[in-house]
Amino acid sequence: MLSSDNRKNVVPIDPSDLTIGDLLGALADHKDRPLMFRYDGRPVKPGYHVTEVKAGQFAALDCEANPESWSEIFVQLWDVDEGGPVHMPAGKFAAIIRKVSDHVGLDQAAKLTFEVSDGVRPIELYRAAQPSVVDGVIEVELTPRPASCKPRDRWLKEQKAASQPCCGASRCC
């Protein structure tokens, strides 16, 4: 259904999604630790490259013809073993992102998507989980980015909110 005032709906970021600002903040105190991304049950190879960082502003219509808009950052990882025996330090990854931000201007609160390929398989899209330290290595689990139906997602969110007790800070009993 079209909004009566025809304004664009700003797509909220799924709370399980990490933003580039979240990721850089989590890495800030661990600059010298190796940064390893995991996807499909395995780690990226130690020689992985950040081959591209893209920032986009998107405008679209969802399946009910509701206008939507959002910012998204894509970090492309090339899963190859050409860099040596250890994974890239977290500080180097952060420096790459800062360099891109200096030239392109990255929205630190934008939706973050990783594009991963080994150069043979097609690029696949992933979202990132909160980093964790495992045996001295910063690990970031990447899970497939699923498709979704935004009207259904909004309806489910409304249903969940309606089922909550009526005594929260933003509601009056």
Side-chain angles (χ1 to χ4, degrees):
M1 165 175 1
L2 213 51
S3 302
S4 60
D5 59 6
N6 207 21
R7 285 184 290 176
K8 291 181 182 178
N9 294 317
V10 177
V11 176
I13 293 180
D14 182 324
S16 64
D17 274 334
L18 211 58
T19 66
I20 195 69
D22 294 334
L23 181 56
L24 293 176
L27 298 179
D29 293 334
H30 304 283
K31 296 177 197 167
D32 296 327
R33 291 184 190 260
L35 176 60
M36 178 177 58
F37 295 92
R38 297 183 62 81
Y39 72 106
D40 294 343
R42 65 182 183 274
V44 293
K45 295 175 181 81
Y48 76 89
H49 291 286
V50 176
T51 57
E52 190 172 77
V53 179
K54 301 177 276 202
Q57 291 287 332
F58 295 91
L61 288 178
D62 67 22
C63 58
E64 287 187 342
N66 293 305
E68 306 278 356
S69 65
W70 69 96
S71 298
E72 191 163 354
I73 294 172
F74 295 86
V75 176
Q76 191 173 100
L77 299 179
W78 189 30
D79 187 13
V80 295
D81 198 8
E82 295 184 356
V86 296
H87 289 86
M88 176 187 308
K92 181 176 180 180
F93 177 86
I96 292 167
I97 300 302
R98 276 194 305 278
K99 185 173 187 175
V100 173
S101 192
D102 290 346
H103 290 278
V104 177
L106 299 178
D107 176 358
Q108 298 295 302
K111 181 177 180 177
L112 177 60
T113 295
F114 281 85
E115 300 175 327
V116 183
S117 175
D118 60 5
V120 176
R121 293 177 28 198
I123 286 175
E124 295 178 295
L125 303 179
Y126 295 88
R127 61 182 173 187
Q130 186 68 36
S132 59
V133 180
V134 178
D135 296 327
V137 175
I138 306 299
E139 290 190 8
V140 178
E141 188 70 34
L142 303 177
T143 56
R145 178 164 298 290
S148 70
C149 171
K150 290 178 179 74
R152 179 183 172 273
D153 294 345
R154 282 191 296 272
W155 178 83
L156 287 172
K157 187 176 180 180
E158 290 168 5
Q159 296 302 308
K160 183 177 179 183
S163 70
Q164 299 298 317
C166 182
C167 293
S170 63
R171 291 185 176 192
C172 178
C173 292

